[in-house]
Amino acid sequence: MNFIFYVLAALTVAGGLAAVLLKNTVHCALALTVAFAGLALLFLDLDAQFAGFAQILVYIGAVAILVVFAILLTKGSETPKDGVFSKTWLAGLVVAAGVFAVLGWAVLQTAPMLPNSAAVPTVSVQDIGIALIGRYVLPLEIVAVLLTAALIGAVIVAMHDKEGAK
Amino acid sequence: MTPLAGYLLVAALVFSIGLAGALTRRNAILVLIGIELMLNAANLNLIAFWRYGPHPEALTGMMFAIFSIAVAAAEAAVGLGLVISIHRHAHTTDLDAMTRMKG
């Protein structure tokens, strides 16, 4: 528990809160990018370099840009007149607070029993690559099929249908 | 408090913020943003357990997080494609205004 952890945790939580609470949808997307960056830095703080840089590439590089594209294509940046929160916002807030209470209680109750190995793991990208094409080769292939299916599916779903009444 | 407990608490907080966003916002894209936050919080848990667990050289938690990032990217692409498709059909992304499933 050092100073850097507290700074990164505060950055991540502030970005997440802003992404959920801001009124302008484009500002929400930018705050989401801050939250993603904070999480990537937390990964780097946890000595998981590969996951941290994959997080930066995939989330900040691709997902955030995709979200901004979707917002601008759907004119979602216009703030609706009757508020940005749903009619059932109180129930949603209660459910989320309840989930946080249960999770926080569970973590604090089990904190003394949690593993706490101080040794910094020395894992190189080469080790990760060997594990990916060795022990984890079947999940890797399945993810490849999934990404192909998602790519084709996203294009087909968003494709302009000429028969529809316009 | 051990370091792992700190990371788990941050992950729980980010998860709850994402859940609150997914449950309370009207805009479908903001709901997807909430879901992305929840997935990221789960990844933080996996990486934290990998770092402080007994056998980091087995790479189990790290691999789980990497595959989870890949699946989340696929989910985001399909989800945003669906939102654009719905917007073209119903001319809104307001979830409260979508009251029927029939096209």
Side-chain angles (χ1 to χ4, degrees):
Chain A
M1 301 310 275
N2 50 14
F3 177 67
I4 295 172
F5 166 75
Y6 288 112
V7 171
L8 294 180
L11 180 77
T12 307
V13 172
L17 275 176
V20 167
L21 291 175
L22 285 177
K23 280 196 171 18
N24 189 318
T25 320
V26 177
H27 295 170
C28 292
L30 298 178
L32 179 75
T33 314
V34 173
F36 285 162
L39 280 160
L41 293 172
L42 280 174
F43 288 179
L44 294 178
D45 192 34
L46 280 166
D47 304 302
Q49 282 87 4
F50 186 78
F53 288 120
Q55 167 92 0
I56 291 176
L57 282 175
V58 173
Y59 278 101
I60 302 173
V63 172
I65 303 297
L66 210 57
V67 168
V68 173
F69 264 114
I71 289 169
L72 296 180
L73 281 172
T74 59
K75 304 193 188 76
S77 58
E78 296 161 6
T79 310
K81 293 179 290 294
D82 41 358
V84 294
F85 292 105
S86 132
K87 278 176 286 199
T88 54
W89 64 272
L90 191 61
L93 202 62
V94 168
V95 168
V99 167
F100 177 68
V102 171
L103 287 175
W105 174 80
V107 169
L108 290 178
Q109 288 296 307
T110 54
M113 288 167 285
L114 288 173
N116 186 19
S117 104
V120 176
T122 51
V123 171
S124 65
V125 179
Q126 194 182 4
D127 296 332
I128 294 172
I130 288 170
L132 270 178
I133 58 163
R135 192 173 163 206
Y136 298 97
V137 68
L138 188 61
L140 184 74
E141 295 298 329
I142 292 172
V143 160
V145 172
L146 174 80
L147 285 174
T148 312
L151 185 70
I152 298 169
V155 169
I156 286 176
V157 160
M159 200 160 57
H160 199 77
D161 55 331
K162 292 185 178 65
E163 289 83 20
K166 285 284 157 313
Chain B
M1 195 161 60
T2 58
L4 178 56
Y7 283 103
L8 294 184
L9 279 179
V10 171
L13 195 53
V14 174
F15 184 89
S16 306
I17 291 170
L19 183 62
L23 290 178
T24 58
R25 295 297 295 238
R26 300 170 77 101
N27 193 322
I29 296 171
L30 269 299
V31 173
L32 278 173
I33 285 179
I35 293 171
E36 291 294 330
L37 279 176
M38 289 157 75
L39 282 163
N40 268 288
N43 283 347
L44 181 59
N45 270 352
L46 295 170
I47 296 282
F49 272 112
W50 167 79
R51 165 66 179 79
Y52 292 106
H55 292 293
E57 71 279 357
L59 285 172
T60 319
M62 176 79 109
M63 285 298 155
F64 213 134
I66 290 168
F67 285 119
S68 164
I69 288 174
V71 173
E75 173 262 333
V78 175
L80 292 169
L82 280 172
V83 170
I84 290 172
S85 174
I86 290 170
H87 177 263
R88 186 180 297 133
H89 192 81
H91 301 286
T92 181
T93 52
D94 187 343
L95 292 173
D96 281 359
M98 293 176 204
T99 49
R100 56 202 188 109
M101 295 181 82
K102 192 159 177 275

